[in-house]
Amino acid sequence: MDTTRNILSVSEALCHLIVMMLTLGQGVRSMPVPTDVPMCTASETAQYRLTFTGKWTQAAFPKQYPVYRPPAQWSNIIGVTHSSDYHIWQRNEFASNGVREFAEKGEAWTLMKEVEAAGERIQSVYGILSAPAVVGGTGQTCTEFEVFARHSYLSFIVRIVPSPDWFVGVDSFDLCDGDHWKENVSLELFPYDAGTDSGFTFSSPNFETIPQDRITQITSSFPSHPANSFFYPRLKHLPPIAKITLTKVKKTNQIITLPVEPTQSNQLPTGNEIEDKLINTPLDCEVSVWSPWGLCKGKCGDSGVQHRTRYILMHPANNGAACPLLEEERKCFPDNCL
């Protein structure tokens, strides 16, 4: 029920913002674009199809993989086309309140207001795009959008569900290359931490980060805490958890209505995507610390035996290191023997 409500809220917010974006700008003077970035000189607008593919499998990410309440899945895609002087989010910078709410709860109202304010203030945002959620760690969803030379950059964000404040996305990818538009682009996506919640695992309870941290990329060794759901010290790099493909499509006419109705498919990827699913990340067994030594059992005057135990915290997977012995014994002499 909460997921349905969030999806409806996002849709309502998007509709409101789309109307605003299509009408604003007539009475607002645009600000100059920074001159230290390459200028797009393409004479015509371009239309693209964005396809998001989830690659979050239990084989690739076996540690604490969420299988229920809720299972692994992806939120709606929220994105914008914009000029170089705008960022919906940036690595190593602080997340806005809108990004915080979206990364933590999947709520988009504040983020939409921030986009609206940027469009009204400096006309740095041309339009928004969205695509439905993917109900599963794997699956696809897609949408179409338009760009033109003044606003040739694409940014978007997708929440990892469940998670404390983790997401994937792209910041300011330029679809223009000099005087022409790029035809086909494929980008692998990796997890980011919004820096607003201090949870280590997918199902961690809400634990606000005070003071707020900057947005950082999560890697196989960072954060370097064994409880972290993405902590795989045997790996140099995490496998990509998702990917997007951007394909330039032919315009059927000169008038394009935004947004194009998004489509979705939660079927498992096919073709080359199947090869990606063959990734098997080894997960080593993790055990607890030893318990204290138990009582020394034996006859007075003779040596006895005492035991200590430990238990399994994480079972191995995908040919990871097997669990060590869970019980030890040693010789001892009984205390308080009369």
Side-chain angles (χ1 to χ4, degrees):
M1 188 69 179
D2 290 339
T3 301
T4 302
R5 186 179 296 112
N6 284 341
I7 292 173
L8 291 175
S9 297
V10 170
S11 300
E12 293 171 359
L14 293 177
C15 289
H16 169 74
L17 186 57
I18 291 164
V19 173
M20 180 279 299
M21 293 302 299
L22 292 176
T23 57
L24 66 78
Q26 307 241 336
V28 181
R29 297 186 61 185
S30 60
M31 300 292 288
V33 177
T35 57
D36 57 346
V37 295
M39 293 293 294
C40 177
T41 56
S43 59
E44 296 183 351
T45 61
Q47 189 173 5
Y48 282 89
R49 172 173 289 267
L50 180 153
T51 301
F52 174 90
T53 302
K55 300 168 67 175
W56 187 13
T57 66
Q58 191 165 11
F61 299 91
K63 188 173 184 179
Q64 302 163 357
Y65 187 83
V67 295
Y68 63 93
R69 296 184 181 179
Q73 57 191 282
W74 302 94
S75 76
N76 303 64
I77 295 176
I78 303 295
V80 294
T81 54
H82 57 92
S83 56
S84 60
D85 54 356
Y86 175 78
H87 298 273
I88 194 171
W89 67 274
Q90 278 185 286
R91 182 176 177 176
N92 297 326
E93 297 293 339
F94 292 108
S96 66
N97 288 333
V99 170
R100 169 202 283 265
E101 291 184 7
F102 188 76
E104 290 186 8
K105 305 173 185 177
E107 297 176 357
W109 279 105
T110 303
L111 183 58
M112 293 298 95
K113 288 294 184 181
E114 292 173 354
V115 173
E116 179 179 339
E120 291 178 337
R121 184 176 65 256
I122 55 177
Q123 287 192 308
S124 57
V125 177
Y126 170 63
I128 59 133
L129 58 101
S130 68
V134 176
V135 187
T138 61
Q140 292 184 335
T141 185
C142 60
T143 189
E144 293 187 4
F145 62 94
E146 186 185 38
V147 288
F148 72 106
R150 173 68 173 80
H151 300 84
S152 61
Y153 292 83
L154 168 69
S155 296
F156 69 86
I157 183 171
V158 186
R159 180 177 184 247
I160 298 174
V161 183
S163 74
D165 60 341
W166 302 340
F167 68 93
V168 298
V170 165
D171 169 38
S172 302
F173 182 80
D174 194 356
L175 288 163
C176 186
D177 188 4
D179 61 354
H180 64 277
W181 298 102
K182 297 173 183 177
E183 292 290 334
N184 293 284
V185 177
S186 180
L187 301 173
E188 294 183 328
L189 305 179
F190 299 89
Y192 282 88
D193 187 324
T196 62
D197 190 295
S198 297
F200 274 122
T201 66
F202 295 117
S203 57
S204 293
N206 186 36
F207 183 41
E208 184 178 0
T209 301
I210 302 177
Q212 180 177 335
D213 286 337
R214 298 175 187 271
I215 296 173
T216 55
Q217 184 173 344
I218 300 172
T219 70
S220 59
S221 58
F222 180 82
S224 57
H225 193 291
N228 183 8
S229 292
F230 286 112
F231 186 69
Y232 295 94
R234 288 178 55 179
L235 299 182
K236 287 186 177 181
H237 306 285
L238 285 175
I241 197 170
K243 69 177 290 187
I244 64 159
T245 55
L246 298 161
T247 305
K248 185 173 177 289
V249 297
K250 294 181 179 179
K251 291 183 290 185
T252 56
N253 52 54
Q254 294 300 314
I255 301 176
I256 300 175
T257 302
L258 291 177
V260 176
E261 185 68 23
T263 60
Q264 177 185 22
S265 170
N266 284 320
Q267 301 299 315
L268 293 179
T270 58
N272 293 333
E273 294 300 331
I274 292 180
E275 297 178 5
D276 296 332
K277 288 177 63 58
L278 296 179
I279 296 173
N280 290 290
T281 299
L283 180 63
D284 296 339
C285 177
E286 295 181 14
V287 296
S288 68
V289 297
W290 286 108
S291 69
W293 286 104
L295 295 175
C296 184
K297 297 180 181 179
K299 295 180 180 180
C300 289
D302 294 332
S303 64
V305 176
Q306 60 183 166
H307 296 82
R308 67 175 181 175
T309 60
R310 56 187 174 185
Y311 56 91
I312 297 174
L313 295 173
M314 188 80 62
H315 288 274
N318 303 330
N319 296 317
C323 294
L325 292 176
L326 301 177
E327 184 175 352
E328 279 188 347
E329 66 176 44
R330 68 179 182 182
K331 290 183 178 182
C332 60
F333 291 93
D335 295 328
N336 301 323
C337 185
L338 299 177

